[in-house]
Amino acid sequence: MRIGLIGTGRIGTFHAEALSRHPVVDALLLADADPERAAGAAARTGAAAVPVDGLFTGEGAAGGPPDAVVICSATSAHAGLIARAARAGLPVFCEKPIALDLPGTLAALAEVEAAGSVLQLGFMRRFDAGYGEARAAVREGRLGRLHTVRAVTSDPAPPPAAYLPLSGGLYRDCLVHDFDILRWVTGREVSEVYAIGSDAGPAMFREAGDVDTAAALLTLDDGTLATATATRCNGAGYDVRMELAGERDQIAVGLDDRTPLTSAEPAGSGAPAKPWPGFLERFAPAYEAELDAFLRVARGELANPCDGREALHALRIAEACEVSRRERRPVAMTEIPGG
């Protein structure tokens, strides 16, 4: 297969390296708004650097256009690139989000549906072994009636200040992963949210109109209660967990010898010797698995495991949380367009 990849920043380069090792990828074409950055990534991965326009037309790329496209560009470019690939009949894998707002998301989805093309979104937690086991435990009834879910996402340090105004905010940029995986693991929909946030940390969050720490209480459509918390300021390390409690049993995802958590009990476990430093290290196998799935989807060997409508559901929950935080009230999902 000939694969085109757009955006050679941190996650784009990580994906390019994975694709360059994949046995079905015969040629890898890298494009970026910064041609020098694309050339550097191409040199490191044995790929070919091409202009973004050339990636779609085949100009400047020996062998013509690709068979499929992976989008890792700046978020503001996602929707336009998705639409362009759809019109070209190319299967697309895109890092979340489709767009930072509902109108942009719905417009891009309309382009994909009109073209009858494939769009797979990058919610990598669906490909993590722990979350997969939790999903099986819930679906098989091993926990009994599920009554409580607790989700945690904690970054070890804030992103650059310049990123914050472009990120969409903590709910859309970070907690959206928890909202997606909550639906995927439980098989239920969120019916109502109540969310709060704090900007008491670094001043750059207040200046961007964002929060550095947030919490949301989500009621699922079967009455299960879920909490989701996130922070940009977890100095102990990168911490992503999910606890699921049922009438029969209780399990945890993301609890291992690298979880940045220290027990306060006299006989409890101490601080990990090597805590997770970030998302690329924690989810490296999941990132590779989702790309492998995309290549199989593009070849017609696998049903799409995470299409654009799944991203829409997660974004609608994030939008509801933003309304709740701003208006300091519970928000029913029926209030959010796009359902």
Side-chain angles (χ1 to χ4, degrees), residues 5 8 11-21 28 30 41 45 291:
L5 183 146
T8 52
I11 190 64
T13 298
F14 185 90
H15 285 332
E17 291 170 349
L19 289 166
S20 71
R21 298 190 298 267
L28 182 60
L30 304 185
T45 58
L291 283 180

Side-chain angles (χ1 to χ4, degrees), residues 73-88:
S73 63
T75 297
S76 58
H78 285 186
L81 291 170
I82 288 170
R84 189 171 184 181
R87 291 193 292 268

Side-chain angles (χ1 to χ4, degrees), residues 174-215:
C174 186
L175 277 165
V176 72
H177 280 289
D178 297 275
F179 302 150
D180 176 72
I181 205 64
L182 175 65
R183 296 180 58 252
W184 189 75
V185 167
T186 65
R188 311 303 309 191
E189 298 296 341
V190 174
S191 60
E192 184 180 82
V193 310
Y194 182 75
I196 55 175
S198 169
D199 62 3
M204 64 181 183
F205 289 96
R206 292 185 291 281
E207 292 165 0
D210 196 5
V211 294
D212 59 81
T213 302

Side-chain angles (χ1 to χ4, degrees), residues 18-264:
L19 289 166
S20 71
R21 298 190 298 267
H22 200 285
V24 306
V25 177
D26 303 312
L28 182 60
L29 311 176
L30 304 185
D32 195 291
D34 179 349
E36 290 186 6
R37 188 163 68 170
R44 291 191 298 273
T45 58
V50 300
V52 174
D53 287 344
L55 187 142
F56 289 101
T57 64
E59 294 179 13
D67 301 309
V69 173
V70 174
I71 298 174
C72 310
S73 63
T75 297
S76 58
H78 285 186
L81 291 170
I82 288 170
R84 189 171 184 181
R87 291 193 292 268
L90 296 173
V92 176
F93 173 93
C94 184
E95 280 297 332
K96 66 83 189 166
I98 294 174
L100 288 178
D101 57 23
L102 285 171
T105 299
L106 291 168
L109 290 177
E111 291 271 9
V112 172
E113 290 169 5
S117 59
V118 170
L119 170 62
Q120 180 182 328
L121 262 292
F123 282 110
M124 77 291 186
R125 295 187 195 182
R126 294 180 176 222
F127 298 86
D128 177 75
Y131 284 107
E133 173 60 21
R135 185 176 195 260
V138 171
R139 302 302 180 89
E140 294 167 9
R142 283 184 258 152
L143 306 184
R145 182 186 67 86
L146 192 65
H147 52 75
T148 308
V149 182
R150 294 176 284 271
V152 175
T153 294
S154 300
D155 288 335
Y163 173 75
L164 294 178
L166 308 175
S167 71
L170 192 59
Y171 296 101
R172 298 186 190 94
D173 180 54
C174 186
L175 277 165
V176 72
H177 280 289
D178 297 275
F179 302 150
D180 176 72
I181 205 64
L182 175 65
R183 296 180 58 252
W184 189 75
V185 167
T186 65
R188 311 303 309 191
E189 298 296 341
V190 174
S191 60
E192 184 180 82
V193 310
Y194 182 75
I196 55 175
S198 169
D199 62 3
M204 64 181 183
F205 289 96
R206 292 185 291 281
E207 292 165 0
D210 196 5
V211 294
D212 59 81
T213 302
L217 172 63
L218 307 107
T219 303
L220 306 191
D221 58 10
D222 65 346
T224 301
L225 297 181
T227 59
T229 64
T231 184
R232 301 287 199 185
C233 305
N234 197 57
Y238 182 71
D239 187 12
V240 171
R241 283 176 286 124
M242 175 180 270
E243 299 171 2
L244 299 108
E247 291 182 337
R248 185 177 304 158
D249 202 358
Q250 180 173 234
I251 59 174
V253 179
L255 188 59
D256 59 23
D257 60 1
R258 300 192 67 181
T259 304
L261 191 65
T262 303
S263 174

Side-chain angles (χ1 to χ4, degrees), residues 262-307:
T262 303
S263 174
E265 299 298 330
S269 58
K274 193 178 180 182
W276 293 110
F279 62 91
L280 287 179
E281 295 83 2
R282 165 66 177 85
F283 288 109
Y287 278 119
E288 295 210 17
E290 71 176 356
L291 283 180
D292 178 73
F294 172 62
L295 296 176
R296 294 173 61 196
V297 169
R299 290 159 65 94
E301 300 169 355
L302 182 72
N304 193 340
C306 188
D307 66 22

